[in-house]
Amino acid sequence: MTRFVLRRLAVSSVILLVGSLLMFVLTINAGDPLQDLRESTASNRDQLIESRIDNMGLDLPWYQRYGQWLSGAAGCIIGQCDLGTDRAGTDVIALLEQAAGATLRLVTISTFAAIIIGVIVGILTALRQYSGFDYAVTFLAFLFFSLPVFWAAVLLKEYGAIRYNDWIADPQISVIQAFVIGVVLAFIMQGVLGGRAKRRLLTAGTTGAFVVIALLAFTYIGWWRNPALGIGLVLIVSVAFAVGITALIAGIGNRRVLYSTLTTVAVGAVVFFAVAPLLDEPNWLMLIGLFISAIVVGLVIGRLWGGYSRGVSMALSAITAGFMAIMTAADRFVYAWAGFLDLKPRPISTIGSQTPNFGGDFWESALDLGTQLLLPTMLLTLISVATYSRYTRSSMLETLNQDYVRTARSKGLSERTVIVKHAFRNALIPITTIVAFDFAALISGAVITEAVFGWKGMGELFRSGLTHTDPAPVMAFFLVTAIAAIVMNLIADISYAFLDPRIRR
């Protein structure tokens, strides 16, 4: 494996070098970097031209300019990066740090959300092939995949921001609106859960009644502007999550694992009150530390309860602990919503990555960052979910028809064991490739999405540099995205060995 990694790195370095040379040559020949100044009528035009020539090194041969950039980029290996300056004389590394930070905030959430949702939906559609649910998901997947990004972004801005901001000023849901929403969600839930006609009717009726009652009750008590979760709802959701993940992975009959996850929820309920004073005015470092501590506590509980299922018990308890930590933070975010609306009456923004000069506390400032992320994240997630769901479906269908899956069923293994432990693991191999390519591509910046929502990310850095025929920002963009593509593909290759032991040979 070490020899394979070193060989791949050597070949990738050569590709990176040739690609950088090609990118540099194409960029400097894409236009005239002095065109705007040549057309200027300013009295100091000649001085401005000379200054730009000096900043960009336009008086040097192209190969010398490339050599200067290459030597500065090579310094990154020893921690002495020098990627030059843009045409205005601004340090490109500073621009790159700002752009990469904005893009990573955007694409990390959307990528993980798309992976989780897409894989789950793909598995469900594979298990229920040619059902109404399968046809509906297939239609929506192709619809989302073929949506013009700019058009979908404009629709999200109209309905997800402008009209929502109008509604939240005086949030009211009528009986008719609640009934329509309940019917739609009831139809979706009965399609997802499936079963015979009696079970479908029961699912639809329960879902519809619950949604209608909840919407009308929330409207009556003014919950939309003054929401709260509380320990009760956090416990209910956490217990449901613990039981569900145990049933899915280990089986509800594995009592040790079930007791381990439920014990984790009980400990989390105690911690909910213990850490309350710390969460009044925390910081990100503290929250990360508390989250890691929750995972450690879950691992310890899983080890104590685990017995012969120690590995599974530790993993599921850690996941449950992480989920409850997230629910605890969500409770604080929900509680801070009312104060956030007082500071920002129109909460969902359509431009920029944060509100300038926002003066709220930690939770309100975090809500501001979250609402700025909401629309572009939804857009990127919807587009990526279509890809992941289709690939997962086809991969699962192919795996389910393999001889070893039929053998597992003939041995009397439960359907959960067959799906989770035998089929899904092997179906992950092609999905791993898609995840690697998709994440590397998203790091390059969603150029259109960032332009529509006014994000100053990697896509904007590339577009601006190319528009102004400025090679320094473009080459910085290329360096980061190319390295990301190489690293992610290498990680994907190494992951194959863990998913399929035969590849290790």
Side-chain angles (χ1 to χ4, degrees), residues 68-83:
Q68 291 178 349
W69 176 85
L70 186 61
S71 62
C76 295
I77 300 175
I78 58 175
Q80 297 179 357
C81 283
D82 181 11
L83 301 182

Side-chain angles (χ1 to χ4, degrees), residues 249-266:
I249 304 299
I252 203 70
N254 194 328
R255 297 301 181 186
R256 285 190 171 273
V257 177
L258 179 61
Y259 294 156
S260 175
T261 55
L262 291 178
T263 302
T264 303
V265 173

Side-chain angles (χ1 to χ4, degrees), residues 169-189:
D170 183 23
Q172 296 294 324
I173 295 180
S174 65
V175 175
I176 296 177
Q177 291 172 330
F179 181 77
V180 171
I181 295 172
V183 169
V184 172
L185 292 179
F187 179 78
I188 293 174
M189 284 300 298

Side-chain angles (χ1 to χ4, degrees), residues 1 425 492-504:
M1 180 63 74
R425 178 173 179 174
D493 289 340
I494 296 174
S495 299
Y496 296 156
F498 291 96
L499 294 172
D500 189 348
R502 295 173 297 176
I503 298 177
R504 302 174 193 173

Side-chain angles (χ1 to χ4, degrees), residues 252-381:
I252 203 70
N254 194 328
R255 297 301 181 186
R256 285 190 171 273
V257 177
L258 179 61
Y259 294 156
S260 175
T261 55
L262 291 178
T263 302
T264 303
V265 173
V267 173
V270 176
V271 174
F272 181 92
F273 295 102
V275 301
L278 297 176
L279 296 181
D280 288 338
E281 189 57 42
N283 54 58
W284 289 111
L285 185 61
M286 179 190 296
L287 291 182
I288 294 173
L290 290 173
F291 182 79
I292 295 175
S293 301
I295 300 297
V296 172
V297 171
L299 291 172
V300 172
I301 294 173
R303 184 176 179 83
L304 294 175
W305 268 112
Y308 63 88
S309 300
R310 180 172 296 168
V312 177
S313 179
M314 291 175 65
L316 296 188
S317 294
I319 294 173
T320 303
F323 178 81
M324 195 159 188
I326 293 173
M327 286 297 300
T328 302
D331 175 67
R332 286 289 178 154
F333 279 118
V334 170
Y335 182 76
W337 180 252
F340 175 67
L341 288 179
D342 292 336
L343 296 172
K344 191 177 178 183
R346 300 185 68 82
I348 309 298
S349 300
T350 58
I351 297 295
S353 57
Q354 63 183 37
T355 303
N357 303 318
F358 187 80
D361 61 17
F362 172 83
W363 296 107
E364 292 163 349
S365 299
L367 277 173
D368 177 58
L369 294 176
T371 53
Q372 300 283 152
L373 275 170
L374 184 62
L375 296 184
T377 298
M378 287 177 59
L379 178 62
L380 294 177
T381 300

Side-chain angles (χ1 to χ4, degrees), residues 463-475:
R463 187 189 65 82
S464 176
L466 199 60
T467 301
H468 298 136
T469 321
D470 189 354
V474 175
M475 296 307 295

Side-chain angles (χ1 to χ4, degrees), residues 479-496:
L479 185 66
V480 172
T481 55
I483 291 176
I486 291 171
V487 171
M488 292 305 299
N489 279 281
L490 185 60
I491 292 174
D493 289 340
I494 296 174
S495 299
Y496 296 156

